[in-house]
Amino acid sequence: MKFGSLVPLCIISSLASAIPTSLESKALPLVQSNVLRRQLLRSNLLAKSSILEGFAYATSERNRVFGGSGHNATVNYIYDQVAALGDYYDVQFQPFVELYTAGNASLKVGGLDQGAGLFTYSPSGRFTQPLILVANNGCAAADYPATLTGKIALISRGSCEFGLKSALAGAAGAAAAVIYNNIDAPSLAGTLGAAVRPEGPLIPTAGITLANGTALKNQLTGGATLVADINVISIRENRTTYNVIAQTKGGDPNNVLVLTAHTDSVDEGPGINDNGSGTVGILEVAIQLAKYSVNNAIRFVWVSAEEFGLLGSEFYVASLSDAEKAKIRLDLNFDMIASPNYKYGIYDGNGDAFNVTGAPGSAEAEKLFQDYFTNDAGLKWVPVEFDGRSDYGPFVDAGIAAGGLFTGAEGIKTPEEQALFGGKAGVAYDVNYHQAGDNVKNLNMDAFIQNDKAIAHAVATYGRSFESLPPRKPTKMVKRELGGKTRNGRFDKFFLEQ
């Protein structure tokens, strides 16, 4: 099964020699962590990453955004690579339709360009109106003053999702909204999460930096009147896209380890760290695993449209019956595992670092990675918040244990982290996050191979036994505690506020 793709055959065939020949007719040895890890090579990770970059650069948009030809080529490639392993996996496409939005935004205040970024799902519109400061972080209707009607709201990022801020501003009568960052990053863009919100109408919404937003806020609080010119141009269209699902034919199908990684990029670039690294990382493990047998089934799920709000993983989890969900013992998610200014981050499944706890089994998954990095790899690690910003979120919402690894995105490396991992303190973990520069040159291959070996260790460990995990309980929705406030929902790397 295939669909349209702009893929030169010479690119597809370049790794054919690296794929193991069909082994289904032979008795395969049971997978072992150290043996599987030794099969992983930097050269294969780099070569596959270069292929994904080629898919992006073969398009006029130079990206792999969901539903576009660069992304279609990516999912065809994954399917072909797994199908070429013979009878080891059952592999299939899972099609679904989602709303795609794109465009651009600009903002000038007093004639000065503020360097605005676009929020996907924002409606189009251009307004020249006074700028009005919103109280607190704009997460409650009471934060929006009565004087806002017909004007442009200036809102701080933080505490709630971008879409809620836009909807509440719309409900207060604002013509448009500007959200400024709460961290020092080159830009602010993201997603409003959906085209419709129950709290109010979405309005044209743009993002600006912390520095520009703070300067505007200070002028407004000092009594100045500022007139802003905002112009948001947004296109919307339904697109068919595809998850790719591959499950081992061997192993207990009633006790399944799921590995997830999203395959799409943002519009701005090829997305080779975000998330070509996770895509390639689990693909390479899947290829090498085909040399071994497993006691428990291993399911690789490459999900689409994460950058538009975890859409592929939400669709996948929603497609599962309660009985099928109950067969999943654990989801391990890998999103950005080769950041140039990396940290070795392990999701804080037990909540002892960030007070955000995953479903039962998440703490044990965290410990497995902690023990591996400490005892096997001899590497330092840090906990990262279990906040639902990637594709494990829908699994946790369904009561399924989850874990994973993360090397950092737009956040800033601390001096303490520099002492642990090297790199540069005061600089983003990935300075090319959601930018055109997220290409093969952006990858840190040391982090890439070490994280991929950690993935292989988890696959081998759980492929042999789930004895370290608690018994699976009946599927139920769970609520995650975020910053002392209960929020039930799914959020991508943009949608969830920091």
Side-chain angles (χ1 to χ4, degrees):
M1 177 179 177
K2 286 186 129 183
F3 50 92
S5 156
L6 301 174
V7 189
L9 291 177
C10 61
I11 295 179
I12 291 288
S13 62
S14 64
L15 287 183
S17 61
I19 301 173
T21 58
S22 177
L23 297 174
E24 62 271 19
S25 61
K26 301 178 182 179
L28 301 176
L30 183 62
V31 66
Q32 297 183 58
S33 173
N34 62 336
V35 177
L36 182 59
R37 282 182 276 142
R38 284 199 294 268
Q39 305 300 313
L40 302 174
L41 302 175
R42 294 170 187 246
S43 57
N44 286 340
L45 297 177
L46 183 60
K48 289 180 175 65
S49 300
S50 297
I51 288 174
L52 299 193
E53 180 184 84
F55 294 153
Y57 288 167
T59 73
S60 58
E61 300 86 5
R62 296 175 70 81
N63 64 32
R64 298 182 303 108
V65 72
F66 90 87
S69 57
H71 184 256
N72 290 348
T74 299
V75 295
N76 274 335
Y77 171 69
I78 294 166
Y79 183 96
D80 288 345
Q81 290 282 293
V82 178
L85 298 168
D87 201 38
Y88 191 83
Y89 292 101
D90 286 315
V91 56
Q92 61 178 311
F93 288 117
Q94 184 184 45
F96 61 100
V97 178
E98 289 290 353
L99 179 65
Y100 168 80
T101 72
N104 58 74
S106 65
L107 177 70
K108 292 184 179 180
V109 180
L112 297 177
D113 187 0
Q114 301 296 312
L118 177 72
F119 288 94
T120 60
Y121 298 110
S122 170
S124 298
R126 182 167 189 174
F127 300 93
T128 302
Q129 292 291 336
L131 200 62
I132 302 296
L133 184 63
V134 171
N136 304 312
N137 288 326
C139 295
D143 294 336
Y144 294 80
T147 56
L148 188 56
T149 302
K151 300 180 177 65
I152 299 171
L154 179 65
I155 312 168
S156 172
R157 179 183 184 181
S159 300
C160 62
E161 64 268 26
F162 297 133
L164 179 59
K165 297 173 191 286
S166 181
L168 289 176
V178 176
I179 302 173
Y180 66 92
N181 215 337
N182 59 358
I183 62 172
D184 188 12
S187 63
L188 178 62
T191 178
L192 301 183
V196 178
R197 295 280 306 208
E199 299 87 357
L202 296 178
I203 56 178
T205 304
I208 60 175
T209 64
L210 172 63
N212 288 349
T214 301
L216 297 175
K217 173 186 176 182
N218 290 341
Q219 292 179 67
L220 291 173
T221 55
T225 298
L226 301 177
V227 175
D229 178 10
I230 186 172
N231 187 19
V232 176
I233 301 172
S234 180
I235 62 170
R236 303 184 186 189
E237 62 185 28
N238 284 326
R239 288 185 171 186
T240 300
T241 189
Y242 302 82
N243 296 331
V244 181
I245 305 165
Q247 180 166 316
T248 57
K249 292 187 176 183
D252 182 357
N254 294 314
N255 285 280
V256 181
L257 171 68
V258 172
L259 292 91
T260 47
H262 77 85
T263 54
D264 60 309
S265 75
V266 293
D267 286 279
E268 288 77 7
I272 302 305
N273 182 39
D274 183 18
N275 182 40
S277 61
T279 296
V280 167
I282 69 170
L283 175 59
E284 186 62 21
V285 171
I287 289 171
Q288 301 306 328
L289 179 64
K291 300 173 181 177
Y292 308 100
S293 65
V294 290
N295 293 328
N296 298 310
I298 310 296
R299 184 183 305 162
F300 296 87
V301 184
W302 291 269
V303 293
S304 180
E306 186 268 1
E307 299 292 1
F308 280 72
L310 312 184
L311 302 180
S313 53
E314 285 190 332
F315 183 85
Y316 173 72
V317 173
S319 74
L320 300 173
S321 66
D322 285 348
E324 288 300 316
K325 291 174 187 174
K327 296 176 183 178
I328 300 174
R329 299 295 301 275
L330 177 67
D331 169 58
L332 295 177
N333 185 68
F334 304 100
D335 188 355
M336 303 182 68
I337 58 171
S339 301
N341 195 29
Y342 68 90
K343 61 183 176 182
Y344 289 122
I346 301 172
Y347 286 123
D348 180 31
N350 65 5
D352 63 352
F354 296 98
N355 195 32
V356 181
T357 304
S362 302
E364 288 78 5
E366 177 189 13
K367 186 176 188 303
L368 178 134
F369 283 123
Q370 291 173 343
D371 290 346
Y372 171 76
F373 276 99
T374 300
N375 302 325
D376 293 88
L379 296 169
K380 303 296 184 181
W381 51 269
V382 292
V384 292
E385 190 170 3
F386 206 63
D387 54 17
R389 290 185 74 188
S390 192
D391 290 296
Y392 61 87
F395 290 87
V396 173
D397 287 346
I400 298 171
L405 305 173
F406 176 56
T407 52
E410 79 276 31
I412 305 301
K413 177 173 274 189
T414 67
E416 294 78 12
E417 290 171 336
Q418 181 186 38
L420 292 174
F421 309 113
K424 296 181 179 179
V427 177
Y429 303 108
D430 186 350
V431 295
N432 292 301
Y433 175 65
H434 286 187
Q435 303 296 324
D438 187 11
N439 54 27
V440 168
K441 294 180 180 178
N442 193 47
L443 298 174
N444 186 295
M445 294 306 299
D446 288 339
F448 202 169
I449 189 64
Q450 292 294 348
N451 277 313
D452 211 38
K453 287 179 181 292
I455 295 171
H457 173 69
V459 168
T461 300
Y462 295 127
R464 293 173 69 95
S465 173
F466 283 120
E467 64 181 359
S468 64
L469 298 185
R472 180 78 169 91
K473 295 182 178 180
T475 299
K476 62 178 181 179
M477 298 296 288
V478 298
K479 292 185 177 182
R480 293 192 295 276
E481 296 293 332
L482 302 180
K485 297 180 180 180
T486 299
R487 181 184 296 124
N488 185 21
R490 276 83 50 195
F491 308 95
D492 73 354
K493 292 190 292 298
F494 281 137
F495 195 15
L496 182 71
E497 289 304 288
Q498 299 288 311

